Each structure stands twice: as structure tokens, then as C-alpha cells.
Amino acid sequence: MATDGGPGRLAGWALVVAGCTYAAWVLGFWVNPGVDARSGYVSSYAATDQPHRALFLFGDCATGVLVVLAVLLVAVARSGVWNLWAVAGWLGLGLFGAGTVADSVLTLDCSPYSDATCALLERSGHVSLAHELHATTSSLAVTGACVSMLAMALAWRRRWIWALAAVELLAVALSLVAMLVGDWMGVAQRVQVGVVSVWLVALGAILLARPRPDRTRPKEQRITPHHETGTALHVVDEGTGEPTVVLVSGLGEAWFDWDAVAGRLDTRVVRFDRPGLGRSVPEPGPSTLRAEADRIAAVCPGPAVVVAHSLGGFHAEAFARWYPEKVLGLVLVDPSCEPEMSRRPGWLSWPLRAVPPVASLLAAGPAPALGPWFRNRAVRAQTAAGIAPGSPGQVREVFGSARVLGTAVKELLGYRDMAAELLALRATTGFPPVPVVVLTALGDVSGHEAVEWRERHAALAALLGGRQEVLADARHMFQVDRPEVVVAAVREVSGAGEAP
């Protein structure tokens, strides 16, 4: 779910207000104590024969309109980053909004659970059509709310959403039981409606918590020739201030995968695409650790904090060992970590060099249509919130290109040799005395694998003289949906913040 920017934030405020207006029934205890709070419907406050009904009609109508508006605004904000469950969640919320508007139009004539005469009129069919249809519209609203919570819980994998959904389903079940026994309907319904009010406010708060695009920061995108290979690199150099922060991407990633982090750093930020990735021109030959370390040095304007994700952790550590005068500190975001690795046999290296260009050739046809879809699906699976960064146009431009797939294959094939290079480098070249934070994500690993991953990163942090921070629920690309964690680590190693 991407809601950065104006429409998304407006949707957030709409949901927060909707949550408040939907809780207008609470006022019924004071302004209309005649309705039996234990057995009477919440809808009874807006029944035709009740005083102050206009207050409660306004609450329902405003809630429904604001919810529908919020769903439309989220769709306008950036619909391309929804996953399947999130789409179902927003559609469910839209159904709730429409049902709630209908509730405000098709009101009850009276309260059958607290008024015996009304109950008799209802059983004999002597009530208005609006009264008869009210049960249908209320059922649609309840169904939409339940679908929204369950789908969003599956989309975002957040325990508190599961908790809300469980309480809501229990309240719905209890209301059905109360309907059969003829008592306690009011209590069950008030719990049910109260949970939905909390859900709307919480959902709105999530939208408002998304980082806003920084439109004031001066941005420059330039093509920089690499000082040894002559390769043209796409470099994004933005902002001013100290320290400079250099962002190093993981395997196959693009500059915009760092948007959330870059938007929160109030300093100079440099990010770049390696050859063949993003908007950078490809270069021949395999990827090597020395070439990648030199590349970081080429784009680094001076001493900097280097933030590296996944495979980029190899590159950043090698850069720090070969260019200690240019490093102020390292933040390694769920970095690749291989305590033991040997180089691939030489006889196998040469045949494998043909694989990336062949992969590019084979992907030339389907890449424009399938590349962006596969990329978004893969990234969403690696974020707890199911987010894939980048505008639809950027994603199509980059991941609709067969050359990007070929480069990703080349980096994958070079992983083993690069890990072995780093192990050899550690034995010969010292690491500078700079602060290091290793951020470990355990949300997409479990059991023995999680224990091993955590221990590997702990050993890496100890080797580099730094500290480890474990994020139990975060997934591999948490710089996308948990940028505040990365920013806090940057401030820590740069001396601008305290270690937690």
C-alpha cells in the first residue's frame, strides 16, 4: 500500500475523522438514554421515532462518505503498489462505506429489541420498506468491515490487525447468538461498532505515518564516468549538509528502492545504479569486489556514512577496508554474510559468462510486460507492509528492460566469487576503527535458519567492531517500509543520535 503524497495523506485524515464520526453512538448514552443499551440496536438511535436522530444520521452518513472518499484517494495515490490482499481489504472497506451511507438513508422506524410494539409491527410486516432493508445494508457494512480487517491482516502481517479482526468476528458471532436468544444484542453491537471505529482511526494513522516525499530538497541526477572502467553511472546526488550518506543497493535493485530512507535524511545523500541496473549503462565482464569498491569511491564526494543493503554489504565492507579515509561509519541493512566460501572453479567461470547475455536475449520479448510485475511481486514479499517502491513509470522503465535481468543474473552468478574475495581481503587488509551497525531482519526466516542468520550477523558485527540490532518482524527489504530504523542507525554512526 503506497500512500505517500497528497492523496494518501488526505485519505488518512478522512479515515481518522470517519473513525470519530462512527463513534457518535457513544453520545447516545447521554442524549438518548431511552434506548436500551443492553438490547437495543445501535441503529435505534437514528430510528424515525427517536429524538436527536439527526445527530446519529449525520454520524453514519459522514462516516460512509469519508470512507468511500478515502478508498478512492488511496487508489489515485499509487494503486500499482497494492498486493492482492490489500486490494481485497480496500474493496471491503469501500463496501463498508457504501453500506454505512445506505444505513443512514434506510433507517429503522423504531427499535424492535427495546420496544415490544415495534417488535410486533416488524413480525407482522407493518413497517416501512426502509426498515426492512436496513438489516441488509447493515449486514453489507459489517461484512465489508470484516473483509477489510482480515485482508489487511494478510496483506501487512501485523499482529494488532489480527487482534482487531478476531475481536470483530467474535462480536459479530455474539450478535448472531444474541439475535437468537433475544437479549444482549446492544452490547454485542456496540463492541462490534467500537472495534470498527478503532480500525478506521488506526488505518488512517498508518497512512499518515508514511513518509512524505521531500519536494523541497534540491535534486540532481547526473551521469558520472567511472574513473577506471569508463562506465556511465546514473547517480542521484541530493541535499546538503554533513555527513554525506552514500546508499548502496542490493542485488538487482534500483536507486528508487532507497526513496523512503533518502526522504528522511536531512543531509547530503548520494545513491547510484551499478552498471546495467537502473539507468546505468552495462559493462562487460563479471562483477568483482574490487570494481564495486572502486565504484563507491568514484561516486563518494568525501568522507561518508555508507549504508548498504544485502549484497551491497560485501561492497561496502571492501570499500571501507580499501578506502578507510573515506569512511565515517557503516550501516549494513540485512547484509549478505558468508563465513565460509570458496571461489568457483576456474574452468566453470568462463562458460558462465555467457549466461547473462543469453538471459537478456531470452527476456527481451516478455520483459516489458512481465518484468515490472515480477519485480513488484518479489519486493512486496520482502516487506512486511507489502510495499514496492518506485512510480509505475520508473518500474516500467527499469524492470521492463531485459538488460536489468541480465545484470541481476550476472550479479547472482558472481555472488560466490565475491564472497570468497571478501574473506581473502579480511585476512590481508584491516578494517578502520569506525562505528558499524548491522541490522538483522528475521521476519522472513524461521526456525534453525533464523537462528543461523542472527548468529552470522552477530559474528559480522563483532568482527567489524560494531553492534547488531535484530528486527524480529521486519523482512529483507525493510528499508522500504521501516526507513526510520535505517535513519536512526545512520544518525547513530554519524554521532547525531544515541544508540538504543
Side-chain angles (χ1 to χ4, degrees):
M1 183 190 80
T3 56
D4 302 344
R9 293 188 65 79
L10 186 57
W13 283 115
L15 288 175
V16 169
V17 175
C20 296
T21 56
Y22 199 53
W25 62 269
V26 174
L27 299 175
F29 291 115
W30 295 276
V31 302
N32 192 0
V35 172
D36 184 357
R38 190 178 88 172
S39 300
Y41 287 133
V42 173
S43 302
S44 297
Y45 290 124
T48 305
D49 64 346
Q50 294 299 313
H52 310 295
R53 66 187 299 262
L55 171 65
F56 303 103
L57 287 177
F58 171 78
D60 271 0
C61 185
T63 298
V65 170
L66 287 170
V67 167
V68 172
L69 175 64
V71 172
L72 294 175
L73 286 170
V74 170
V76 168
R78 270 171 62 190
S79 60
V81 299
W82 286 359
N83 59 28
L84 182 61
W85 288 115
V87 170
W90 287 113
L91 289 176
L93 195 66
L95 177 62
F96 163 78
T100 304
V101 171
D103 271 352
S104 70
V105 175
L106 304 172
T107 59
L108 296 174
D109 295 341
C110 49
S111 178
Y113 272 87
S114 57
D115 182 345
T117 302
C118 182
L120 289 173
L121 290 172
E122 189 178 67
R123 292 194 191 102
S124 62
H126 290 83
V127 291
S128 68
L129 179 61
H131 184 107
E132 292 180 349
L133 291 177
H134 185 83
T136 301
T137 58
S138 293
S139 298
L140 289 176
V142 170
T143 300
C146 292
V147 168
S148 176
M149 291 185 203
L150 288 171
M152 291 300 191
L154 290 168
W156 297 344
R157 299 180 179 88
R158 297 190 182 185
R159 294 176 183 174
W160 66 267
I161 303 180
W162 280 113
L164 279 180
V167 174
E168 178 69 5
L169 290 174
L170 178 61
V172 171
L174 290 176
S175 66
L176 294 176
V177 173
M179 189 180 299
L180 293 175
V181 301
D183 200 2
W184 295 100
M185 170 62 79
V187 173
Q189 266 209 341
R190 281 158 178 78
V191 173
Q192 180 182 313
V193 173
V195 171
V196 174
S197 296
V198 172
W199 167 237
L200 294 175
V201 173
L203 187 57
I206 290 175
L207 303 190
L208 293 172
R210 298 285 173 194
R212 305 173 71 174
D214 188 348
R215 304 188 187 279
T216 61
R217 181 193 303 262
K219 297 188 176 181
E220 174 193 355
Q221 297 194 18
R222 67 177 189 268
I223 299 298
T224 303
H226 187 270
H227 72 287
E228 286 186 356
T229 65
T231 301
L233 292 180
H234 172 237
V235 180
V236 179
D237 189 338
E238 51 192 340
T240 58
E242 297 293 339
T244 297
V245 177
V246 177
L247 304 176
V248 182
S249 299
L251 190 151
E253 296 170 11
W255 83 96
F256 51 74
D257 288 319
W258 290 106
D259 277 353
V261 172
R264 291 191 173 201
L265 290 170
D266 298 321
T267 188
R268 185 178 184 182
V269 180
V270 177
R271 41 188 165 148
F272 65 98
D273 295 318
R274 289 190 293 276
L277 299 177
R279 291 175 175 166
S280 290
V281 177
E283 70 175 11
S287 300
T288 67
L289 195 64
R290 183 80 215 197
E292 298 305 339
D294 291 346
R295 210 173 330 268
I296 297 174
V299 303
C300 188
V305 172
V306 179
V307 182
H309 175 243
S310 193
L311 175 66
F314 288 167
H315 309 162
E317 183 184 340
F319 168 72
R321 291 180 183 274
W322 274 316
Y323 294 91
E325 73 283 356
K326 284 197 166 190
V327 181
L328 297 176
L330 288 188
V331 176
L332 302 179
V333 181
D334 210 32
S336 297
C337 188
E338 300 294 344
E340 297 180 6
M341 187 68 72
S342 60
R343 293 185 66 90
R344 182 178 286 109
W347 64 267
L348 189 58
S349 298
W350 284 99
L352 289 177
R353 290 191 181 188
V355 174
V358 170
S360 294
L361 182 62
L362 294 176
L370 297 181
W373 184 83
F374 276 112
R375 179 266 178 184
N376 284 344
R377 188 176 181 84
V379 174
R380 288 168 187 159
Q382 296 180 77
T383 61
I387 296 174
S391 68
Q394 289 172 330
V395 174
R396 283 194 301 271
E397 174 195 356
V398 173
F399 294 97
S401 168
R403 65 171 172 80
V404 172
L405 173 62
T407 302
V409 170
K410 182 171 76 170
E411 290 194 334
L412 185 61
L413 292 175
Y415 180 91
R416 176 174 174 174
D417 288 347
M418 200 168 290
E421 280 186 80
L422 182 58
L423 291 175
L425 178 63
R426 288 173 179 169
T428 61
T429 307
F431 188 82
V434 297
V436 176
V437 174
V438 178
L439 301 173
T440 303
L442 297 181
D444 41 14
V445 290
S446 59
H448 175 73
E449 185 181 3
V451 173
E452 183 181 13
W453 191 240
R454 180 172 185 158
E455 290 177 350
R456 283 188 179 190
H457 278 182
L460 176 62
L463 175 70
L464 302 181
R467 74 170 188 91
Q468 179 191 29
E469 181 176 343
V470 177
L471 308 173
D473 297 327
R475 290 178 170 252
H476 185 55
M477 290 191 69
F478 63 84
Q479 73 269 32
V480 173
D481 59 337
R482 298 283 299 279
E484 70 281 356
V485 176
V486 180
V487 171
V490 170
R491 289 172 178 161
E492 177 187 334
V493 301
S494 64
E498 296 297 327

